[in-house]
Amino acid sequence: MDQWEYKTLKYKTGGFLGGKVNEEEFEDLLNSYGIDGWELISCFDTSVHQGQSRDIIAVMKRRAYLG
């Protein structure tokens, strides 16, 4: 049976009140974890108010190597 390990990343948004995402930087971050075998399984934001995001939470998994 496959066993998995999980990682949760918190990515801070920018801007005076938050809500601005540097898409290239965020994509680079995800790609760097992907190179290490992590797969993105969920991604959501934490709201401040009126639809603005404070953080982006990314949940990743990869096969656990026992040994």
Side-chain angles (χ1 to χ4, degrees), residues 32-47:
S32 70
Y33 279 95
I35 288 169
D36 289 335
W38 293 99
E39 176 185 359
L40 180 67
I41 57 172
S42 182
C43 191
F44 56 91
D45 69 327
T46 59
S47 297

Side-chain angles (χ1 to χ4, degrees), residues 2-61:
D2 288 335
Q3 293 189 351
W4 305 95
E5 61 178 322
Y6 296 89
K7 178 177 286 299
T8 303
L9 307 174
K10 184 189 288 189
Y11 179 82
K12 294 275 188 200
T13 60
F16 179 67
L17 296 174
K20 294 191 184 279
V21 178
N22 181 330
E23 293 175 26
E24 186 175 320
E25 181 180 277
F26 186 57
E27 186 177 284
D28 288 346
L29 176 67
L30 294 177
N31 283 330
S32 70
Y33 279 95
I35 288 169
D36 289 335
W38 293 99
E39 176 185 359
L40 180 67
I41 57 172
S42 182
C43 191
F44 56 91
D45 69 327
T46 59
S47 297
V48 179
H49 56 76
Q50 298 179 356
Q52 290 185 324
S53 301
R54 174 172 291 166
D55 301 311
I56 296 174
I57 308 297
V59 181
M60 308 183 91
K61 75 173 186 179

